[in-house]
Amino acid sequence: MHAQVNKFDTNNKERIYNLLVLKGEALLKGQFLAMRQEVSNGEEYSNFFTAISDQIDTLLIYFLNDEISASLDDRGPLRSLIEEVKKDHYIDEHFKRLEYAESDLRTLFANKTDFIIGSNLLDFKVNTFSAFEKYIDELYEILLLTNPRSNKKEMKLIKLIQKYSESDNTTEMQSTLEQIKKISFYVSSAEKIEYVLSKSSYEKPELDKARSFLNFYRNQRNSIHNLGVHRGTSQSVTVSDIEIKLDTDKPSYTTNHNSAIFACRELMGIYEKMHLGVTGEVVF
């Protein structure tokens, strides 16, 4: 006997559609970039856009599976699956643990949908920005070959060392030593992004907008360290006329979860511009 099929959820259908469009765009751009880089036909390749496609997969599979199971009466074979799992692996001492877990599982599928969607979207934001950072790091290394960064830090360190060695004042020497300790040659991801962005073909207003958007996306990603709660100053961005808010001591909030998909598309667009600025390659 077949389970009753209920209507698919309108919101999930829209999200699935937008994810499919985004995935298609990522795959197209990934293929065109590979062709411009003279990857042989049939040869495997990977680039920023294929990495984004991979991250879309996880979110797409979640929404597809959730909608398929939600459309079936009483979630279709879910109960049968749990019973079979217990039958195959049951141990008496796990009785109470299973009782609690099964009770929460029913709540999970019935009442915790927003929480699960939010968790999956946070993972999506984290992973897509991590992919962005990884490939911007590659652009940064390419850029350094023709546009090396200034040696201001090195010159400052030399002056401070000279000042320290020539001084006979203990207080001054200690102060200089503290200044020396603060000089770091580590280049953060944010600094690399800013350097590559500064070499792109953005005009000033668009450059400021891209910089602000990337800062927002990074802060969303960083909220994972606080279980999704933002610890910095409040800020927001608008993508496709949908506002995404990041208020102090609150998780990211939007009235439409499609905004995360549209924000990822904007992230792809910014990378495309940065890639062009460094390599001269038109992606698509």
Side-chain angles (χ1 to χ4, degrees):
M1 183 177 178
H2 294 290
Q4 178 183 337
V5 178
N6 302 312
K7 290 183 178 180
F8 293 119
D9 181 78
T10 300
N11 291 327
N12 269 353
K13 285 193 295 182
E14 186 179 8
R15 292 163 192 156
I16 291 168
Y17 177 82
N18 287 326
L19 283 168
L20 288 171
V21 171
L22 184 66
K23 181 175 176 62
E25 180 175 340
L27 290 173
L28 275 170
K29 289 184 174 180
Q31 184 180 38
F32 269 78
L33 179 57
M35 289 168 59
R36 293 190 187 283
Q37 295 174 342
E38 300 182 346
V39 173
S40 301
N41 188 32
E43 182 182 348
E44 291 188 3
Y45 60 87
S46 61
N47 51 47
F48 169 71
F49 299 103
T50 60
I52 290 295
S53 174
D54 290 341
Q55 302 314 318
I56 293 168
D57 286 346
T58 305
L59 196 56
L60 185 58
I61 287 172
Y62 164 73
F63 280 121
L64 285 169
N65 286 338
D66 181 62
E67 198 52 36
I68 290 169
S69 63
S71 69
L72 299 176
D73 187 41
D74 199 25
R75 292 274 172 171
L78 177 62
R79 185 172 296 175
S80 300
L81 172 62
I82 298 301
E83 289 303 319
E84 188 169 322
V85 167
K86 290 198 300 183
K87 180 182 177 182
D88 291 349
H89 302 281
Y90 187 76
I91 299 175
D92 285 339
E93 66 185 67
H94 294 160
F95 170 76
K96 206 63 182 176
R97 295 179 177 87
L98 290 168
E99 180 183 314
Y100 270 74
E102 284 186 75
S103 176
D104 193 65
L105 190 63
R106 287 189 288 273
T107 302
L108 177 68
F109 276 91
N111 303 322
K112 290 186 177 179
T113 303
D114 286 342
F115 170 77
I116 296 300
I117 289 175
S119 296
N120 278 278
L121 286 170
L122 178 58
D123 289 343
F124 178 69
K125 295 165 189 173
V126 169
N127 295 336
T128 50
F129 196 78
S130 294
F132 179 78
E133 286 183 319
K134 192 268 185 193
Y135 283 93
I136 289 299
D137 187 71
E138 291 188 4
L139 292 180
Y140 176 80
E141 293 300 325
I142 294 171
L143 191 57
L144 288 185
L145 296 176
T146 54
N147 293 271
R149 301 195 68 172
S150 71
N151 62 347
K152 288 181 180 179
K153 287 185 177 180
E154 287 87 346
M155 296 305 297
K156 182 178 180 180
L157 180 61
I158 290 171
K159 288 180 179 179
L160 286 172
I161 292 174
Q162 185 177 9
K163 181 179 179 181
Y164 179 85
S165 62
E166 292 175 354
S167 177
D168 56 5
N169 183 294
T170 303
T171 302
E172 183 182 64
M173 290 174 67
Q174 185 60 40
S175 174
T176 305
L177 184 60
E178 291 302 317
Q179 292 179 65
I180 292 173
K181 289 179 181 179
K182 291 178 181 179
I183 296 179
S184 171
F185 292 95
Y186 169 74
V187 183
S188 68
S189 171
E191 289 176 301
K192 291 178 180 180
I193 290 172
E194 177 58 33
Y195 189 57
V196 177
L197 193 61
S198 70
K199 303 301 180 182
S200 67
S201 56
Y202 275 112
E203 296 296 332
K204 184 65 167 62
E206 288 75 21
L207 178 63
D208 290 340
K209 184 179 179 182
R211 183 181 288 118
S212 177
F213 175 83
L214 291 176
N215 181 59
F216 182 89
Y217 214 120
R218 181 189 299 108
N219 286 333
Q220 278 191 123
R221 189 279 305 275
N222 289 346
S223 70
I224 193 173
H225 301 300
N226 301 304
L227 296 179
V229 175
H230 176 56
R231 295 303 189 198
T233 56
S234 296
Q235 56 186 132
S236 68
V237 297
T238 299
V239 288
S240 298
D241 297 324
I242 305 170
E243 184 182 31
I244 311 173
K245 299 173 69 176
L246 202 56
D247 290 330
T248 305
D249 296 330
K250 291 183 180 180
S252 177
Y253 174 78
T254 180
T255 57
N256 187 336
H257 288 308
N258 284 290
S259 60
I261 304 170
F262 300 145
C264 181
R265 187 176 189 275
E266 188 161 334
L267 184 71
M268 283 169 48
I270 291 174
Y271 173 84
E272 196 171 345
K273 196 95 169 180
M274 295 169 77
H275 181 92
L276 173 63
V278 173
T279 67
E281 294 172 337
V282 177
V283 173
F284 188 66

